[in-house]
Amino acid sequence: MSVEAWTWTIVILSFALYLGIGYWARVRETAGFYVAGRGVPPVANGAATAADWMSGASYISMAGLISFLGFDGAVYLMGWTGGYVLLALLLAPYLRKFGRYTVPEFIGDRYYSNLARVVAVIAAIFVSFVYAVPQVRGVGIVLSRYLGVDVATGVWAAVLVTAFIAVLGGMKGITWTQVVQYVVLITAYLIMGIALANLLTGNPIPQLAFTFSDFAVRLSELQVELGFKEYVAPFQNLSALNVFLITLTLMVGTAGLPHVIIRFYTVPKASDARWSAGWALVFIGLLYTTAPAVAVFSKYNLLNTLANKPVEEVRQIDWVQKWEQTGLLKLQDKNGDGILQMSANPDVNEVTIDRDIIVLSTPEVAKLSPFIVGLVAAGGLAAALSTAAGLLIVIASAISHDLYTRLINPGASEATKLLIARVVIFLVVVLAAPFGINPPAFIAQLVAFAFGLAASTFFPAILLGIFDRRMNMQGAVAGMIVGLVFTASYIIGTKYLGWPNFILGITAEGIGAIGMLLNFVVAYLVSRATPPPPEEIQHLVDEIRIPKGSAGSALEH
């Protein structure tokens, strides 16, 4: 069977399975829609959390980022895994014990303020929408290449499948779909990594093949020969300050992402939330320890296949022809010598490779079997769809539960609440699709921005809400607004309005850490200059941290 035939077969079977689970898990009550009835076992929730969080950026783009950034690309590995340590130790069990459905609901009730709730809703929608766009973009890329449809068609297919699962099953349907999607994506990624490692080093374990071979050094030498920077040398693409700040931003951003936090509301009790985070870290680690090996092997193969080769010979390669058709790979013989030059100098370089295609093209570049090519494509779809579904639930619950039910119509029936949530999901996918078709940045960069916004808004408000009984409404609201406005302004200005990185050369990807610090400082100063929270709120904060009664809600004690 051809690559396209295998891909069609695997994708159709996996999509049918996802849709079947969505139909099986359909719900008729808000507890099932928002938090899966709080009945998800920790191991299953860990797998669902891993799939929810290992988005198209982790699967499709991360190895591409590492292959282009080299040593400095480790910021994504350290940041995106380190955040789960913060979640497990500082946030997850306490939020589960609080016993609510959403992050804005925690902030609204903890800070006894509808204004705080509204600010949190706005931030949740903003962060989740920014994060959702690259997911549907990732699906569009996969479908456009392997199924022969244009990116726009692929994007619309993605949003419709995701919307169907989310609308029918809510968090319950999404959870069990994500468990299956994790199995699909990790199987595909590991098979690709094992095949690559065995082919290039004779060692089938990617982590060991990468560690105990000289491939990274060989890649570094090859890049220097071609005029690129050393692969293994530190701080070639990012300064030491930016490496630190991007890592910190991704860590606290992970701990503050609403679609990740909401997963810990789905387990039976607080201790299960901590176990879920532990299992999620294990499941995530399987992919994240494989990614550096895939990055090195993929980049080495690409350079050897394309650099200093005759243009016409390269254009005869099947995978080159098909990726050129997508516009994500471009070959230009600028000097007319018939030989492809690859160089760090854009005026000399004749090969343009979109970073988002590194992983997806790797099986074909390495001449692996068509089955593996199709499986890797299905894995990319699973990664993007699982995260997109989780983000849809966050946006739907923020609008239907936190705005409509809590502020506009507190007496709404279960049927009305579910109807509002489902309508919101359809509206969001309709809005997200055009951005996915024409994104303002490549996938992993957009995701990094979402993490920065989460770091500068939610993490301080949640952490202080749990551990600082003196933190009040005024401090939390002021901190969130300052963090959000500062971080969003810096990102938009430096990336899209031509501003320089005027704060110590800090990039947009790392500015969320500074926004977080501003949030903490402003929240602390304002809270100490204004009246303390009511006694019952201070007592509630103490109750959240008491181990007893973890199966219920702190508000019930």
Side-chain angles (χ1 to χ4, degrees):
M1 290 174 63
S2 66
V3 167
E4 287 73 20
W6 270 117
T7 304
W8 271 108
T9 301
I10 297 172
V11 168
I12 289 173
L13 289 175
S14 60
F15 271 40
L17 182 58
Y18 305 153
L19 293 172
I21 293 173
Y23 182 79
W24 163 79
R26 61 194 185 280
V27 295
R28 295 181 176 84
E29 75 287 337
T30 53
F33 192 90
Y34 294 130
V35 292
R38 302 197 195 278
V40 182
V43 175
N45 196 51
T49 302
D52 195 359
W53 180 73
M54 284 197 298
S55 62
S58 293
Y59 188 100
I60 296 174
S61 290
M62 186 174 64
L65 273 173
I66 296 172
S67 70
F68 275 82
L69 293 176
F71 179 96
D72 300 339
V75 296
Y76 294 96
L77 297 172
M78 295 185 295
W80 283 341
T81 51
Y84 272 85
V85 178
L86 296 181
L87 259 176
L89 297 178
L90 298 179
L91 304 184
Y94 306 109
L95 289 173
R96 172 60 190 89
K97 187 178 178 184
F98 193 78
R100 287 310 196 210
Y101 288 164
T102 68
V103 172
E105 188 172 25
F106 168 82
I107 290 175
D109 290 351
R110 162 60 182 88
Y111 295 114
Y112 52 97
S113 166
N114 284 332
L115 176 60
R117 190 188 314 275
V118 171
V119 172
V121 166
I122 293 172
I125 294 172
F126 191 27
V127 169
S128 299
F129 189 82
V130 169
Y131 203 170
V133 167
Q135 310 315 316
V136 296
R137 170 66 176 178
V139 174
I141 290 174
V142 175
L143 295 182
S144 68
R145 161 60 186 89
Y146 293 107
L147 301 186
V149 300
D150 57 57
V151 171
T153 301
V155 166
W156 281 111
V159 297
L160 291 176
V161 170
T162 305
F164 177 87
I165 296 169
V167 164
L168 278 185
M171 182 57 84
K172 183 180 177 183
I174 287 171
T175 295
W176 294 109
T177 303
Q178 286 173 338
V179 171
V180 175
Q181 286 168 333
Y182 174 76
V183 174
V184 172
L185 74 88
I186 200 64
T187 301
Y189 207 88
L190 289 179
I191 287 177
M192 174 180 64
I194 290 168
L196 267 178
N198 190 58
L199 179 68
L200 295 178
T201 71
N203 187 336
I205 303 175
Q207 295 85 346
L208 298 181
F210 171 64
T211 304
F212 296 107
S213 73
D214 63 346
F215 255 89
V217 175
R218 289 163 62 184
L219 174 59
S220 192
E221 293 172 349
L222 179 58
Q223 290 199 167
V224 171
E225 287 178 16
L226 294 172
F228 294 101
K229 297 176 181 178
E230 286 188 69
Y231 187 84
V232 296
F235 315 130
Q236 297 291 296
N237 298 285
L238 297 169
S239 67
L241 177 62
N242 274 307
V243 166
F244 173 76
L245 290 177
I246 293 173
T247 301
L248 180 58
T249 296
L250 296 177
M251 285 181 65
V252 295
T254 296
L257 280 173
H259 80 286
V260 173
I261 291 174
I262 200 172
R263 288 241 50 93
F264 298 104
Y265 291 128
T266 65
V267 293
K269 54 185 185 292
S271 61
D272 292 337
R274 183 165 281 152
W275 278 107
S276 291
W279 279 113
L281 196 54
V282 170
F283 293 137
I284 290 164
L286 289 175
L287 189 145
Y288 271 53
T289 55
T290 307
V294 171
V296 168
F297 297 149
S298 300
K299 186 73 173 293
Y300 187 83
N301 269 345
L302 269 176
L303 293 180
N304 274 304
T305 302
L306 302 177
N308 299 322
K309 295 293 191 298
V311 178
E312 293 307 317
E313 177 184 310
V314 170
R315 283 213 164 101
Q316 297 304 311
I317 301 173
D318 184 62
W319 67 265
V320 171
Q321 295 175 2
K322 290 174 180 175
W323 278 113
E324 270 199 291
Q325 291 172 7
T326 68
L328 300 174
L329 173 66
K330 297 178 182 177
L331 308 180
Q332 296 174 285
D333 186 10
K334 294 178 181 179
N335 59 10
D337 67 351
I339 303 296
L340 283 176
Q341 313 293 326
M342 294 188 72
S343 170
N345 184 345
D347 295 327
V348 176
N349 184 57
E350 298 176 339
V351 180
T352 303
I353 305 171
D354 191 298
R355 301 178 190 187
D356 291 335
I357 75 170
I358 296 296
V359 168
L360 295 175
S361 66
T362 289
E364 290 180 290
V365 177
K367 300 179 181 179
L368 301 181
S369 74
F371 170 75
I372 295 178
V373 177
L375 190 61
V376 169
L381 293 174
L385 290 173
S386 61
T387 301
L391 294 165
L392 286 178
I393 285 294
V394 169
I395 297 173
S397 60
I399 294 175
S400 64
H401 181 68
D402 295 302
L403 282 184
Y404 181 78
T405 302
R406 296 298 296 271
L407 299 181
I408 299 173
N409 186 10
S413 65
E414 289 283 297
T416 301
K417 295 176 188 176
L418 288 176
L419 176 62
I420 295 295
R422 286 165 170 157
V423 169
V424 167
I425 287 174
F426 272 114
L427 292 177
V428 171
V429 298
V430 168
L431 289 173
F435 286 95
I437 295 168
N438 297 294
F442 62 86
I443 291 176
Q445 191 178 59
L446 277 174
V447 171
F449 293 167
F451 277 77
L453 297 175
S456 61
T457 53
F458 288 120
F459 182 76
I462 296 171
L463 189 67
L464 292 171
I466 293 170
F467 293 101
D468 184 7
R469 68 199 309 267
R470 180 63 176 76
M471 183 54 55
N472 61 12
M473 169 193 68
Q474 294 91 333
V477 171
M480 284 193 295
I481 291 175
V482 168
L484 178 64
V485 171
F486 169 80
T487 304
S489 299
Y490 193 90
I491 289 173
I492 294 170
T494 57
K495 284 298 178 182
Y496 308 114
L497 300 181
W499 298 0
N501 296 327
F502 58 89
I503 301 179
L504 301 176
I506 299 170
T507 66
E509 290 83 358
I511 199 64
I514 305 301
M516 175 197 68
L517 293 176
L518 285 176
N519 187 331
F520 272 121
V521 170
V522 170
Y524 181 85
L525 293 177
V526 171
S527 68
R528 268 52 183 182
T530 50
E535 283 295 324
E536 62 269 21
I537 297 297
Q538 297 186 48
H539 177 70
L540 173 63
V541 174
D542 292 334
E543 284 290 332
I544 291 174
R545 297 197 303 274
I546 295 173
K548 66 181 180 181
S550 65
S553 163
L555 296 177
E556 298 167 358
H557 298 158

